[in-house]
Amino acid sequence: MSDLTSDELIELQKSSDAEYKRLSGLDGEEHRAQWERWRTAAERVQAAVTQHAATAGLNRFEVERATKTAARHPAESVG
């Protein structure tokens, strides 16, 4: 994990990614309901990233990138 992100942000991103993966193979009302769950999770990540960046005086884009990398490719984010 880098100084740009936190365990909380990484876990929120992993949760959002998991909700997105659940969309696969769904259609109709099931797809719409799952899309809403994913959208809500994604909004939580975005709000937390924005707040973290603003509070810490960091570049929001860099915080988001570091968070996504740490959540999706943990070996790349070490160091």
Side-chain angles (χ1 to χ4, degrees):
M1 176 175 49
S2 77
D3 294 336
L4 294 171
T5 191
S6 69
D7 290 338
E8 178 186 4
L9 292 176
I10 293 166
E11 289 307 312
L12 284 170
Q13 183 63 54
K14 286 180 180 179
S15 176
S16 176
D17 290 347
E19 293 296 341
Y20 182 78
K21 287 178 185 175
R22 290 184 185 105
L23 283 166
S24 180
L26 299 178
D27 60 4
E29 184 58 30
E30 287 179 326
H31 185 273
R32 189 200 65 73
Q34 182 57 39
W35 188 88
E36 287 295 330
R37 285 189 287 276
W38 166 68
R39 185 182 59 79
T40 299
E43 287 174 350
R44 274 190 240 121
V45 175
Q46 294 299 310
V49 164
T50 299
Q51 180 179 359
H52 177 74
T55 301
L58 300 169
N59 179 293
R60 194 213 168 284
F61 171 77
E62 291 176 4
V63 171
E64 181 177 3
R65 182 178 58 191
T67 299
K68 286 182 178 183
T69 299
R72 297 173 182 169
H73 311 285
E76 293 177 24
S77 65
V78 175

